[in-house]
């Protein structure tokens, strides 16, 4: 079995809970003392740190949202003096102000540690060559993986995102064994390799760690087939630490949350009520070791469920299932909740289309309409019109059966839809709501 820290990763739950409780109490005291915003929120609820007498009392504490971070822009939620902050990252801030994350030296150490666990679980070691095609800069992806790879002694190729043909050439020349990027970019790399006439047998790739956007099991199969690797899902978000919040092991039956650092809950996104094991809802995290930006009950907007049974790999760390969507990228069409990942699964099961699609939502005569643009393969596109019409009908029927609403499917030429070197833009909502 592959562990970075077997003692923690396989610890019995009662011992782990003791550690979690101790760290939770320390964190609540720290934010109450050092972050005026949290003190005010707790006072409004009539809570003092001494009220937290067990892990079950976590639910008494107030939630934190992305909006709270924006209202306290840039440093209002930091719990240490700025002189102790050694690194600042920020989200892209495509909607409003960016969310700003500060790290102390201690926080960077934790981040390196959780990413070391993540990479080792994906088969990396000190002999690996890790090519990091996540973006560097304010985005946490690149540097997060970078520090984890250095922690395990691997050779880091810090190429960042973009410059796709060069990425592939260096992959061949440098003997890259582990690829780290978004899943949609991994597929784009595979597509570009074909164009360059480079066969997957020319690569030394063994595994890939892919995250930063939701992707389906079918997309995993596609990546594994086209790059001849084992594809591992990783999960993280800047506000909590960056990549390394959770990771898959070789059994790929959910992502192990590094819960000695990040305490998870699943809540009903409407009511805020805590849900039981196996129930789907919104994932919420409390950071219990971070110094710079400790967050209490941070609402991720990601929809998943948790499993607490011991994994076949021997780890006892709780597993979260693949994120099936977000409460905020979930599209509601005629009262039905639609996640792009549902449509992606249908398309990839077809086999005759490429894994590139776009959803266009509009409102016509006061009625919501969903149009799905789907790229067909080169082979299919050169077929006669009748075959394309049959494929269009087949896809329409399959999507309508999955979603329970009518959709319009439009097949488009190969390479028509815009490719992304970061997160893929899957949904265009034209409705004026």
């Amino acid at each position: 079995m592959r562990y970075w820290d077997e003692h923690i990763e396989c610890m019995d739950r009662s011992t782990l809970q003791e550690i979690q409780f101790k760290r939770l109490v320390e964190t609540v005291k720290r934010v109450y003392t050092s972050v005026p915003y949290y003190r005010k929120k707790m006072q409004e609820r009539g809570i003092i740190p001494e009220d937290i007498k067990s892990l079950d009392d976590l639910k008494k504490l107030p939630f934190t949202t992305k909006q709270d971070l924006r209202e306290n822009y840039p440093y209002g939620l930091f719990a240490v003096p700025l002189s102790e902050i050694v690194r600042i990252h920020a989200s892209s801030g495509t909607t409003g102000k960016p969310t700003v994350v500060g790290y102390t030296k201690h926080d960077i150490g934790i981040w390196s540690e959780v990413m070391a666990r993540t990479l080792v679980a994906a088969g990396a070691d000190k002999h690996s060559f890790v090519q990091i095609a996540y973006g560097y800069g304010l985005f946490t992806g690149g540097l997060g993986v970078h520090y984890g790879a250095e922690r395990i002694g691997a050779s880091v190729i810090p190429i960042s995102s973009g410059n796709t043909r060069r990425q592939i050439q260096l992959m061949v020349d440098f003997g890259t064994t582990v690829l780290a990027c978004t899943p949609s970019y991994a597929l784009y790399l595979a597509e570009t390799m074909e164009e360059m006439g480079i066969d997957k047998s020319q690569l030394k790739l063994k595994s890939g760690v892919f995250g930063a956007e939701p992707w389906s099991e079918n997309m995993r199969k596609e990546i594994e087939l086209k790059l001849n690797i084992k594809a591992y899902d990783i999960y993280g978000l800047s506000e909590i630490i960056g990549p390394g919040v959770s990771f898959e092991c070789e059994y790929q039956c959910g992502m192990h949350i590094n819960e000695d650092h990040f305490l998870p809950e699943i809540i009903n996104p409407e009511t805020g009520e805590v849900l039981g094991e196996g129930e789907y809802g919104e994932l919420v995290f409390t950071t219990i070791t971070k110094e710079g930006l400790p967050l209490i009950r941070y609402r991720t907007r990601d929809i998943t469920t948790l499993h607490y049974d011991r994994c076949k790999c021997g780890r006892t760390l709780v597993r979260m299932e693949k994120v099936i969507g977000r409460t905020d990228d979930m599209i509601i069409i005629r009262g039905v909740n639609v996640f792009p990942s549902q449509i992606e699964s249908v398309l990839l099961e077809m086999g005759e289309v490429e894994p590139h699609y776009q959803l266009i939502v509009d409102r016509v005569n006061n009625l919501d309409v969903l149009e799905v643009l789907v790229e067909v393969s080169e082979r299919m596109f050169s077929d006669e019109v009748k075959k394309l019409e049959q494929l269009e009908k087949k896809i329409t029927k399959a999507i309508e059966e999955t979603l329970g609403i009518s959709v319009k499917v439009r097949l488009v030429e190969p390479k028509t839809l815009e490719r992304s070197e970061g997160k893929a833009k899957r949904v265009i909502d034209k409705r004026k709501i």
Side-chain angles (χ1 to χ4, degrees):
M1 292 298 172
R2 301 183 299 232
Y3 310 114
W4 173 249
D5 184 345
E6 186 175 352
H7 172 65
I8 291 288
E9 293 174 56
C10 304
M11 183 178 278
D12 71 88
R13 181 139 295 276
S14 60
T15 309
L16 179 60
Q17 286 177 335
E18 284 172 24
I19 291 170
Q20 288 173 329
F21 175 63
K22 181 172 175 284
R23 290 176 173 180
L24 174 64
V25 167
E26 286 166 0
T27 298
V28 172
K29 281 178 183 167
R30 190 161 68 250
V31 298
Y32 190 85
T33 308
S34 307
V35 185
Y37 186 77
Y38 273 126
R39 186 162 58 250
K40 181 171 176 282
K41 280 186 97 165
M42 286 172 67
Q43 284 171 344
E44 283 168 0
R45 285 188 159 217
I47 301 166
I48 55 170
E50 289 70 26
D51 292 332
I52 307 304
K53 295 184 170 67
S54 71
L55 284 175
D56 198 44
D57 289 333
L58 181 60
K59 62 176 179 280
K60 294 178 180 176
L61 294 166
F63 290 114
T64 310
T65 64
K66 196 176 272 264
Q67 191 53 38
D68 292 326
L69 286 163
R70 289 194 175 124
E71 284 173 11
N72 288 278
Y73 177 88
Y75 308 135
L77 292 182
F78 286 14
V80 296
L82 288 175
S83 58
E84 288 182 38
I85 297 291
V86 299
R87 174 102 63 81
I88 290 174
H89 282 282
S91 71
S92 53
T94 46
T95 48
K97 287 176 179 170
T99 50
V100 179
V101 188
Y103 299 78
T104 64
K105 191 177 177 185
H106 165 83
D107 296 337
I108 297 287
I110 288 169
W111 197 7
S112 306
E113 189 66 21
V114 295
M115 274 311 303
R117 295 180 194 174
T118 300
L119 289 164
V120 168
D125 59 24
K126 66 180 181 180
H127 305 292
S128 300
F129 283 75
V130 181
Q131 184 157 327
I132 302 170
Y134 284 112
Y136 278 68
L138 288 177
F139 173 64
T140 52
L143 281 164
V145 179
H146 186 119
Y147 273 62
E150 285 188 342
R151 174 66 68 99
I152 66 170
S155 302
V156 178
I157 305 168
I159 193 164
S160 194
S161 56
N163 213 338
T164 304
R165 285 174 176 264
R166 186 161 168 260
Q167 294 260 8
I168 292 161
Q169 195 56 58
L170 293 186
M171 229 182 263
V172 174
D173 297 346
F174 291 3
T176 302
T177 56
V178 179
L179 174 65
C181 62
T182 60
S184 52
Y185 190 52
L187 280 176
Y188 185 41
L189 284 165
E191 197 176 83
T192 309
M193 268 170 54
E194 282 176 37
E195 287 170 14
M196 292 170 71
I198 290 176
D199 188 76
K200 59 190 177 186
S201 64
Q202 293 173 254
L203 302 178
K204 290 186 178 171
L205 274 183
K206 292 176 182 171
S207 64
V209 285
F210 305 117
E213 62 187 12
W215 52 303
S216 62
E217 281 302 320
N218 288 315
M219 194 168 178
R220 188 207 299 272
K221 285 175 197 157
E222 191 97 5
I223 291 169
E224 291 185 333
L225 180 71
K226 289 187 171 178
L227 291 175
N228 194 29
I229 59 172
K230 184 149 181 164
Y232 291 85
D233 201 356
I234 66 169
Y235 174 87
L237 57 166
S238 299
E239 299 91 323
I240 300 304
I241 203 150
V245 173
S246 67
F247 60 92
E248 279 186 325
C249 63
E250 64 265 42
Y251 290 98
Q252 299 183 320
C253 50
M255 287 174 281
H256 293 280
I257 295 172
N258 286 302
E259 56 174 323
D260 54 322
H261 298 291
F262 319 113
L263 203 50
E265 300 170 274
I266 297 287
I267 64 161
N268 178 322
E270 305 295 322
T271 64
E273 169 206 359
V274 177
L275 301 177
E277 181 178 355
E279 290 188 78
Y280 277 90
E282 183 182 342
L283 182 60
V284 171
F285 280 112
T286 299
T287 65
I288 52 175
T289 52
K290 268 176 77 184
E291 293 177 344
L293 181 72
L295 291 180
I296 303 291
R297 305 192 81 198
Y298 183 75
R299 297 186 60 160
T300 66
R301 304 291 177 199
D302 288 328
I303 303 293
T304 185
T305 186
L306 299 177
H307 299 290
Y308 283 90
D309 55 313
R310 181 187 283 268
C311 181
K312 283 183 280 188
C313 72
R315 288 179 182 84
T316 51
L317 297 173
V318 62
R319 303 186 316 282
M320 60 180 272
E321 285 189 13
K322 256 185 187 299
V323 170
I324 61 166
R326 289 176 58 80
T327 57
D328 51 5
D329 89 355
M330 176 178 82
I331 333 160
I332 302 178
I333 299 168
R334 303 197 287 279
V336 176
N337 296 345
V338 174
F339 293 105
S341 55
Q342 291 173 292
I343 290 168
E344 183 180 284
S345 288
V346 170
L347 296 177
L348 285 166
E349 272 167 22
M350 292 283 163
E352 296 136 309
V353 294
E354 294 296 312
H356 302 291
Y357 63 95
Q358 201 161 53
L359 314 184
I360 298 174
V361 190
D362 209 344
R363 188 160 281 174
V364 180
N365 300 326
N366 295 319
L367 187 69
D368 290 343
V369 290
L370 173 61
E371 183 177 30
V372 184
L373 306 187
V374 185
E375 270 189 29
V376 289
S377 60
E378 296 272 7
R379 182 179 55 78
M380 276 303 296
F381 201 73
S382 56
D383 278 349
E384 65 227 45
V385 175
K386 191 177 175 192
K387 278 194 178 170
L388 288 173
E389 285 175 349
Q390 285 171 345
L391 179 60
E392 210 166 72
K393 282 180 182 166
K394 186 179 165 189
I395 294 172
T396 304
K397 184 170 182 283
I399 291 175
E400 288 182 348
E401 282 175 358
T402 300
L403 300 182
I405 56 169
S406 59
V407 299
K408 181 183 190 308
V409 172
R410 181 152 55 94
L411 300 182
V412 297
E413 286 184 55
K415 301 183 176 58
T416 307
L417 298 175
E418 189 187 342
R419 298 294 190 264
S420 170
E421 289 167 349
K423 298 188 186 187
K425 182 149 179 64
R426 303 292 197 196
V427 181
I428 296 170
D429 197 337
K430 295 179 172 178
R431 292 175 294 185
K432 303 283 185 287
I433 298 175

